[in-house]
């Protein structure tokens, strides 16, 4: 990557939960991030494009990406129809000037949505110019299951490269929970890898979103690979700070995460 085109490093609004999205914009500006990813979820600000635009202008932090409401807990935000939610996410990205929408693969029970998902993603990308980057997921331990038992809630699998899309999001917390080789996954994504959720995990079947360097994922190696591969996408810190003992502790954790990213991206 040339010095004139450094990889932008953003902060997900999910990284400040249970605080609201505005706190992420303020912290991103204070700590020197390049922008913000908006996770659309229960926070009313995250659902309001006008409110997000005001926060972006107030802090000078651009919206790099929008995370579509794909979680189990967000299945009724904007609409109970997952297609409507994805379309609204792309519309929000256009209004906010974001280049990427992050979306999870369909759940197994979303049959109609799942059958049309690939065509829908292609249609939205062609019409909008926004990258709809499908994210890798992970299996979970079923209730009462053995320690090594894992089931997937996604169709056809937790690995979006099994289907093939133009753009992908690689999430290192998810690869940890899936016990998946993140570097091999990046190779399978190839030139389609356009977005990274930088976090860490220990390999337990849980989405830990640790500060990079605090788990077992090859976070440093992946960032260095991005540079060597002339990556032209975005890196977003999506980490868990909900146990921070106060504002200063949260800021220290997010500053450490940013420093890790900058260091291994050669910035």
């Amino acid at each position: 990557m040339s010095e004139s085109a450094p990889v932008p490093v953003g902060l997900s609004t999910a990284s400040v939960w249970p605080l609201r999205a505005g706190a992420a914009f303020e912290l991103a500006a204070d700590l020197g991030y390049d922008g913000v990813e908006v996770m659309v979820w229960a926070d009313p600000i995250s659902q309001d494009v006008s409110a997000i635009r005001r926060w972006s202008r107030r802090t000078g932090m651009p919206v790099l990406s929008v995370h579509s409401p794909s979680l189990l807990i967000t299945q009724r935000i904007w609409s109970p129809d997952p297609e409507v939610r994805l379309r609204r996410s792309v519309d929000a990205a256009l209004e906010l000037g974001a280049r990427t929408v992050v979306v999870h693969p369909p759940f197994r029970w979303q049959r109609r949505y799942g059958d049309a998902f690939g065509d829908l993603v292609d249609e939205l990308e062609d019409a909008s110019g926004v990258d709809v980057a499908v994210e890798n997921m992970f299996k979970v331990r079923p209730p009462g299951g053995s320690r090594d038992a894992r089931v997937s809630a996604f169709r056809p699998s937790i690995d979006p490269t099994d289907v093939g899309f133009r753009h992908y999001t690689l999430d290192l917390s998810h690869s940890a929970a899936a016990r998946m080789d993140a570097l091999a996954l990046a190779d399978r994504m190839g030139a389609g890898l356009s977005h990274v959720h930088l976090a860490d995990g220990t390999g337990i079947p849980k989405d830990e979103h640790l500060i990079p360097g605090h788990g077992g994922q090859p976070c440093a190696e992946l960032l260095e690979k991005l540079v060597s591969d002339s990556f032209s996408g975005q890196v977003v810190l999506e980490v868990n700070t909900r146990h921070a003992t106060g504002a200063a502790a949260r800021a220290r954790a997010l500053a450490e995460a940013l420093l890790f990213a900058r260091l291994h991206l050669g910035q």
Side-chain angles (χ1 to χ4, degrees):
M1 179 65 63
S2 67
E3 291 184 3
S4 61
V7 176
V9 180
L11 178 66
S12 170
T13 59
S15 297
V16 304
W17 188 85
L19 303 181
R20 292 191 174 184
F25 279 89
E26 290 179 329
L27 275 165
D30 289 345
L31 296 173
Y33 280 81
D34 297 315
V36 170
E37 174 171 299
V38 177
M39 168 74 84
V40 181
W41 58 0
D43 173 8
I45 294 174
S46 74
Q47 303 170 31
D48 185 336
V49 171
S50 295
I52 290 296
R53 186 185 294 112
R54 287 194 295 271
W55 275 108
S56 178
R57 290 173 176 170
R58 184 181 307 169
T59 59
M61 285 287 98
V63 178
L64 301 178
S65 46
V66 173
H67 195 311
S68 182
S70 306
L71 303 172
L72 275 174
I73 62 172
T74 61
Q75 292 300 290
R76 301 195 71 82
I77 287 174
W78 283 346
S79 169
D81 185 334
E83 178 178 338
V84 173
R85 293 197 300 272
L86 182 52
R87 289 186 181 277
R88 286 195 61 173
S89 299
V90 172
D91 289 343
L94 284 171
E95 289 187 55
L96 294 165
R99 60 171 282 186
T100 304
V101 166
V102 178
V103 65
H104 295 176
F107 288 114
R108 287 187 300 175
W109 53 85
Q110 294 172 324
R111 294 187 179 182
R112 187 182 67 174
Y113 176 61
D115 289 343
F117 184 68
D119 291 337
L120 174 62
V121 168
D122 287 344
E123 174 206 325
L124 291 171
E125 290 194 318
D126 288 341
S128 69
V130 172
D131 294 350
V132 180
V134 185
E135 189 169 11
N136 62 296
M137 300 305 295
F138 57 97
K139 295 180 179 180
V140 297
R141 185 187 302 171
S146 68
R147 179 178 178 182
D148 293 324
R150 300 286 192 279
V151 295
S152 172
F154 301 96
R155 59 177 299 189
S157 81
I158 60 174
D159 183 349
T161 67
D162 288 344
V163 175
F165 297 94
R166 295 182 201 170
H167 298 102
Y168 300 101
T169 296
L170 197 166
D171 186 303
L172 286 128
S173 177
H174 294 179
S175 61
R179 299 178 181 174
M180 187 180 292
D181 184 330
L183 296 177
L185 177 58
D187 285 338
R188 292 197 298 278
M189 290 177 170
L193 174 57
S194 61
H195 202 72
V196 172
H197 278 166
L198 182 60
D200 214 332
T202 62
I204 62 173
K206 179 182 178 182
D207 198 8
E208 297 176 280
H209 283 285
L210 303 178
I211 301 296
H214 289 230
Q217 286 298 284
C219 298
E221 294 89 338
L222 177 69
L223 295 175
E224 290 159 8
K225 173 180 169 60
L226 296 180
V227 175
S228 66
D229 291 347
S230 298
F231 178 70
S232 60
Q234 304 159 319
V235 171
V236 168
L237 273 299
E238 191 184 68
V239 296
N240 179 359
T241 64
R242 69 179 182 269
H243 298 304
T245 55
R250 176 175 284 107
R252 282 195 299 271
L254 295 178
E256 178 188 341
L258 176 60
L259 179 61
F260 185 100
R262 296 269 192 233
L263 174 66
H264 294 289
L265 288 169
Q267 299 176 4

